Amino acid sequence: MTNNEELYKVDELNLLDCKKIHFTHEKSGFLTLEYEGKTYHKTDPTRLIPFFSKTTYISLSYESEEQEFREIGVIKDMADLDEEQYNLLDSFLKYKYFMPEILKVYNIRDNMQGSIFVKSLTTSGEKTICVKDWYQNFRMLSDNYLYVNDADGNKYFCEDIHKLDKKSLAVLEMFT
């Protein structure tokens, strides 16, 4: 194995020391990471448990010279970062994983051609969400958590459908 050749073990979890992490937010929108004397440009943080944990088990990867994403390691808990680094990473993840929450469901129409249209109130305002293949893209991930992926790739969620008003629950009953 040469000095330039890197060996990756897919069955090991490489936990990063949060005290050694230093992010810089670039004008391009990407994060640059300095860790243990190395600089990683275009660092891509990814939530490993995206629906249920927003600040734990964050994988950090970078684009290699071969234009392949390689994992640097995993942050077990963002709370272990200092405040500035936490805020940089948190704002990047909020942008990357932007998902309006569904607050009300007014009605759902099925066009009988493979799409449903969900007229709803979200944290981003009133939306008519077009969902193709609703068996795959309109899903209950637990007894309470609804995940919706629309025809344009936008994602929406309702953390607890049982907290919705009675009319919304009645509308959802047919589709969940």
Side-chain angles (χ1 to χ4, degrees), residues 20 26 64 134-135 138 141 148 166:
K20 297 178 182 179
E26 303 299 330
S64 70
W134 71 271
Y135 287 108
F138 196 84
L141 296 180
V148 180
K166 288 182 183 184

Side-chain angles (χ1 to χ4, degrees), residues 26 32-41 43 62 72:
E26 303 299 330
T32 294
L33 170 67
E34 292 178 29
Y35 186 77
E36 293 189 330
K38 292 184 181 178
T39 301
Y40 302 94
H41 298 282
T43 303
Y62 71 100
I72 301 161

Side-chain angles (χ1 to χ4, degrees), residues 161-174:
I161 64 166
H162 302 293
K163 291 183 179 177
L164 294 173
D165 62 280
K166 288 182 183 184
K167 183 177 179 194
S168 295
L169 281 172
V171 170
L172 281 173
E173 196 172 293
M174 253 177 70

Side-chain angles (χ1 to χ4, degrees), residues 14-24 32-41 43 60 72-75 81 85:
N14 178 26
L15 294 176
L16 301 175
D17 182 351
C18 288
K19 292 177 182 20
K20 297 178 182 179
I21 289 174
H22 187 308
F23 290 109
T24 308
T32 294
L33 170 67
E34 292 178 29
Y35 186 77
E36 293 189 330
K38 292 184 181 178
T39 301
Y40 302 94
H41 298 282
T43 303
L60 301 179
I72 301 161
V74 174
I75 296 172
L81 294 168
Q85 296 301 300

Side-chain angles (χ1 to χ4, degrees), residues 5-65:
E5 200 173 278
E6 297 181 38
L7 179 64
Y8 291 94
K9 297 180 182 178
V10 295
D11 60 346
E12 290 184 12
L13 181 63
N14 178 26
L15 294 176
L16 301 175
D17 182 351
C18 288
K19 292 177 182 20
K20 297 178 182 179
I21 289 174
H22 187 308
F23 290 109
T24 308
H25 189 260
E26 303 299 330
K27 290 180 184 177
S28 64
F30 290 103
L31 291 177
T32 294
L33 170 67
E34 292 178 29
Y35 186 77
E36 293 189 330
K38 292 184 181 178
T39 301
Y40 302 94
H41 298 282
K42 293 186 178 179
T43 303
D44 185 27
T46 302
R47 290 177 175 151
L48 296 178
I49 314 169
F51 297 110
F52 303 107
S53 178
K54 296 185 185 325
T55 61
T56 59
Y57 294 100
I58 309 298
S59 171
L60 301 179
S61 57
Y62 71 100
E63 188 174 347
S64 70
E65 290 176 9

